[in-house]
Amino acid sequence: MRVELLWSAGCPHAREARALVDEVARALRLSPRVAEIAVEDEAAGRRLCFPGSPTIRVDGVDVEPGWEPCSDCTPRCRVYSTPAGLSGLPERGWVERALRSAAP
């Protein structure tokens, strides 16, 4: 299992996103390899299809259900539309589902 945490400079939620991944992985008794990937410019954003910071992908799949590739891949903050409203972090349940699905 490979987890990617894509982030850009100035993102106030990048550390929280890493903590969320670590917390969920511990709760599920998993030890995923987490790659923290800094997206520093638009070229890197396009290459990585970067929807904003923070982005969490498990085995290359975004944890947000129904996420579709973005057309604007510039480094910026990401806003998630969750049942509780807009958030700078994905729902914990999304991360849990993604990690469970990828678990051996």
Side-chain angles (χ1 to χ4, degrees):
M1 171 187 322
R2 178 173 166 85
V3 177
E4 296 173 323
L5 171 61
L6 289 79
W7 60 278
S8 58
C11 174
H13 301 289
R15 286 189 189 159
E16 291 174 87
R18 176 59 195 253
L20 175 63
V21 169
D22 291 344
E23 182 181 309
V24 170
R26 267 193 313 278
L28 297 174
R29 299 176 192 246
L30 298 172
S31 300
R33 188 179 48 186
V34 180
E36 294 187 18
I37 302 167
V39 181
E40 299 174 347
D41 55 33
E42 189 173 351
R46 280 193 307 270
R47 187 176 65 255
L48 296 166
C49 195
F50 180 61
S53 179
T55 289
I56 301 169
R57 293 180 180 153
V58 178
D59 290 341
V61 179
D62 197 290
V63 298
E64 182 177 7
W67 180 80
E68 303 233 350
C70 54
S71 58
D72 178 6
C73 298
T74 57
R76 66 187 180 286
C77 289
R78 183 169 179 176
V79 178
Y80 292 89
S81 181
T82 72
L86 298 178
S87 175
L89 291 170
E91 289 248 316
R92 179 186 175 94
W94 299 348
V95 178
E96 287 176 0
R97 274 191 295 279
L99 290 177
R100 281 182 204 270
S101 293

